[in-house]
Amino acid sequence: MLLLVPVLLLAALHYVVAVRTYGLLTPDGLFVVSQLLMAFGTVQLIDPDSRTETFYGHLVLGAVATYLLVSMVTFMCLRTSRRTVPRRVGDHAPYTFRLVRPTPGVVLVIMVSMVATGLYFAAVGYSAFVVGLRGLLTGQAEDVTTLRLQSYAGEDYFFPGYANQFRNILLPSLAVVLAVWYFNRPGLLGRVCALLPLGLAVLALIGTGQRGAFFLFLLTLVVYSFLAVGRVMSRWVLLVPLIGAPVVLVATQVLGRSEDGGHPLRASASELYRRFLEDNQLSGLAAFNYTSPLPVRYGGEWLRSLLGVLPGDRGSTLANEVFATLYGSPVGTSPPSLWGSIHYNFGTLGVLAGAAGLAMVLQTITFNGLRRRSYNSLELMGYAGMTVVLGTWAVGGPETLLNSGLVAYLALWYWGGRIKRADTALPARAAESSSTGPAPQRYRPVGWQPGRPVPVREGRDPVAAGR
């Protein structure tokens, strides 16, 4: 569609005006990227002879354009009214980064998360990854696809929304916090012990065969590494995809996602393409075809979805109904897109108002983020997760944020802020740099104005991260 071109030009302007100031790895920056991917993939799937699908394409592009315009206006208003610029993490982090010790509270939550994850797989009766791996090693074909669907969308309800908070959020997040601590300290025993919850977390993430949770956590690690180190191209940031790529290759083969026995690398590339440019777009298009003849729900479907947080309540069955229109069976989920969900609940004007509201909220969060002088690893893990959950919100309603772990990440952010300074320490290299190296240069405080001299405040914490 030709309308995609002005939206892309508007996105380029948005980058020049706003994103260039604070970077892509922010709630606003990631949201723009995810929405452009959704818009581009949706346009490729639309049937130009279908009035419903054509209208949906215009709706998506209009929502993205509205978001970009309001986001730019909000950025300029905030910058003018406060006479400040957002705090940018660039060549180095503008704050001191400290590591959280394995306190009894951290260890306890890790243990509880491991138990909750184990109980979930025990209730399901299997791990799709383990079953697929056993079949691959023994040469016996396993119907991993059916097992994968049954584990989270089958007739038996295993409370996946609750289990995911431990399996997809708390266990991997705290396992990384623990591993980062021990790998910044001498001693082989601690590092070996830290690898146990980390290995279990990876196994849990890919255990049900769902790709979304694993990709989202990899992205969370990229954002976390960037915030902790302060450089996009640092070895720690690049280490995440280098470690994650082999896991994706193995999981693709084990979980039977390699089409016609194709090469794992080609199959993984195809999976990534479908993940970002086809799956959610096809699901959103099918959902709009399904809901467009139905009356506007005025928030009723969102309420039904949010009631799914109650024990024993499945919530809305819309995603299952749409899945049935695509594949002939309700055992699976095909949720509407974010804009399609808003349209079903609040109509066309609701979509435009929702896009404008999201722009103001995400831009404000981005503009005001990370203004303190010191953060610890638990806080940054929570902030990174919150950034990714909000920034990649492209399908479903508010229940998607809950299922993706927004509340859990906010809890980690709050918990990290309550941890005593005595229970944290500088990274080994940063501590050495600050104690034996030359005096660190003072950074400009938030609120500097171009053309004005910047006073140096005594007693500030040294900028230790990224050294």
Side-chain angles (χ1 to χ4, degrees):
M1 297 178 85
L2 293 178
L3 289 178
L4 181 62
V5 176
V7 172
L8 293 177
L9 293 176
L10 192 60
L13 179 62
H14 176 269
Y15 176 85
V16 172
V17 172
V19 176
R20 187 179 61 174
T21 305
Y22 44 73
L24 283 174
L25 299 181
T26 56
D28 178 71
L30 285 178
F31 189 82
V32 170
V33 173
S34 65
Q35 291 305 318
L36 289 178
L37 290 174
M38 279 291 293
F40 180 79
T42 299
V43 167
Q44 309 307 309
L45 297 174
I46 285 176
D47 179 5
D49 295 328
S50 171
R51 295 182 61 183
T52 299
E53 294 188 6
T54 301
F55 174 77
Y56 176 65
H58 292 161
L59 185 73
V60 170
L61 293 175
V64 176
T66 301
Y67 178 92
L68 292 169
L69 285 170
V70 176
S71 178
M72 284 190 289
V73 171
T74 304
F75 172 81
M76 290 185 289
C77 290
L78 288 172
R79 184 168 184 170
T80 301
S81 63
R82 302 185 184 183
R83 297 184 179 181
T84 64
V85 294
R87 200 168 195 181
R88 179 182 176 86
V89 181
D91 294 334
H92 58 266
Y95 43 75
T96 303
F97 172 61
R98 306 182 69 86
L99 302 177
V100 172
R101 301 176 185 272
T103 62
V106 171
V107 175
L108 176 61
V109 176
I110 289 178
M111 296 299 296
V112 171
S113 301
M114 291 171 63
V115 170
T117 301
L119 290 175
Y120 171 74
F121 282 108
V124 173
Y126 56 85
S127 164
F129 179 81
V130 172
V131 172
L133 181 61
R134 185 174 62 234
L136 191 66
L137 295 176
T138 60
Q140 298 178 353
E142 297 284 352
D143 188 6
V144 181
T145 301
T146 299
L147 295 177
R148 176 164 45 86
L149 292 173
Q150 289 289 346
S151 65
Y152 66 90
E155 296 180 359
D156 296 324
Y157 186 60
F158 300 111
F159 307 99
Y162 292 99
N164 288 347
Q165 308 307 305
F166 296 98
R167 182 174 65 89
N168 297 340
I169 311 300
L170 295 178
L171 177 56
S173 296
L174 293 177
V176 169
V177 170
L178 192 69
V180 169
W181 168 266
Y182 278 113
F183 276 84
N184 271 273
R185 290 291 177 272
L188 181 61
L189 180 60
R191 298 181 180 185
V192 172
C193 292
L195 288 176
L196 174 61
L198 197 60
L200 291 176
V202 173
L203 186 61
L205 279 169
I206 61 178
T208 60
Q210 293 173 275
R211 299 157 294 175
F214 184 69
F215 286 137
L216 284 181
F217 192 73
L218 280 183
L219 183 55
T220 298
L221 284 186
V222 170
V223 177
Y224 167 78
S225 302
F226 168 63
L227 295 177
V229 178
R231 293 192 300 273
V232 176
M233 298 304 293
S234 74
R235 61 177 181 174
W236 299 110
V237 176
L238 297 177
L239 189 64
V240 176
L242 289 177
I243 293 178
V247 177
V248 172
L249 288 173
V250 172
T252 299
Q253 285 294 103
V254 169
L255 295 170
R257 292 184 178 271
S258 178
E259 295 181 351
D260 302 324
H263 191 276
L265 187 60
R266 185 168 58 251
S268 297
S270 176
E271 279 295 306
L272 287 174
Y273 178 85
R274 288 202 302 269
R275 174 68 190 172
F276 292 109
L277 291 173
E278 283 189 0
D279 287 355
N280 288 333
Q281 291 82 349
L282 177 61
S283 174
L285 186 60
F288 192 80
N289 281 325
Y290 182 80
T291 60
S292 58
L294 303 177
V296 176
R297 294 292 302 275
Y298 298 104
E301 195 271 330
W302 278 11
L303 178 60
R304 180 71 263 169
S305 298
L306 291 174
L307 289 176
V309 302
L310 299 176
D313 195 324
R314 284 178 176 265
S316 172
T317 60
L318 176 61
N320 303 101
E321 295 167 17
V322 175
F323 187 87
T325 65
L326 286 172
Y327 305 105
S329 168
V331 182
T333 55
S334 293
S337 67
L338 169 61
W339 311 122
S341 179
I342 296 177
H343 182 269
Y344 182 40
N345 281 272
F346 301 103
T348 302
L349 291 179
V351 172
L352 300 179
L358 277 172
M360 289 187 285
V361 171
L362 296 186
Q363 186 60 250
T364 302
I365 293 174
T366 300
F367 194 94
N368 294 315
L370 301 178
R371 288 185 174 269
R372 296 213 314 265
R373 294 184 301 174
S374 178
Y375 291 94
N376 60 51
S377 54
L378 194 55
E379 286 179 290
L380 290 190
M381 181 60 75
Y383 187 86
M386 178 269 295
T387 295
V388 171
V389 170
L390 291 176
T392 59
W393 185 18
V395 299
E399 79 285 352
T400 300
L401 300 179
L402 299 180
N403 292 331
S404 298
L406 179 61
V407 174
Y409 279 124
L410 290 177
L412 291 179
W413 167 262
Y414 176 78
W415 183 18
R418 307 294 295 179
I419 286 182
K420 298 178 181 178
R421 190 179 181 87
D423 290 328
T424 65
L426 288 171
R429 293 182 62 191
E432 181 181 352
S433 174
S434 62
S435 61
T436 63
Q441 296 180 352
R442 300 294 184 179
Y443 59 85
R444 290 179 173 180
V446 174
W448 69 274
Q449 299 180 35
R452 295 181 117 189
V454 182
V456 177
R457 300 185 182 181
E458 297 298 328
R460 277 184 175 270
D461 290 328
V463 181
R467 299 295 179 113

